Amino acid sequence: MSKNFISKIGVIFLAGGKGSRFSSTTLKQFTLLKGKLLALHSLDIFLKYPNIEEIVIVCEEKYQNLFPKDKRIVFALPGKLRQDSVFSGFKKLS
């Protein structure tokens, strides 16, 4: 298999969960870890890879401003269940 086999990579980044088991007033993904939002620790890894052409962040509209501006990032709204959120993300992928 050639290393050029995958020509376009897209990521669905789920950040719309309620964190019901986390027991905090702050959503888990927006909790600070070493002075940085927990979600951004993960997102930054994806942003480092030039082969990733698009990242669909699934989160509520009121949290979209917490993410960096990047031409590869688009947003989708979460669903009631995790699978609904994934489907919402899939619909935004090109």
Side-chain angles (χ1 to χ4, degrees), residues 14-56:
L14 297 176
K18 302 293 182 217
S20 56
R21 297 178 307 209
F22 190 55
S23 304
S24 175
T25 56
T26 304
L27 295 174
K28 179 173 51 179
Q29 61 272 34
F30 302 119
T31 300
L32 290 178
L33 175 66
K34 295 186 177 184
K36 184 176 176 179
L37 295 178
L38 187 60
L40 296 182
H41 284 277
S42 299
L43 180 64
D44 285 348
I45 293 169
F46 292 115
L47 288 171
K48 287 180 183 176
Y49 288 94
N51 291 10
I52 294 176
E53 294 191 12
E54 60 186 332
I55 301 171
V56 178

Side-chain angles (χ1 to χ4, degrees), residues 73-85:
I73 292 176
V74 296
F75 292 95
L77 295 175
K80 185 174 181 177
L81 302 172
R82 182 184 310 257
Q83 59 263 34
D84 301 321
S85 296

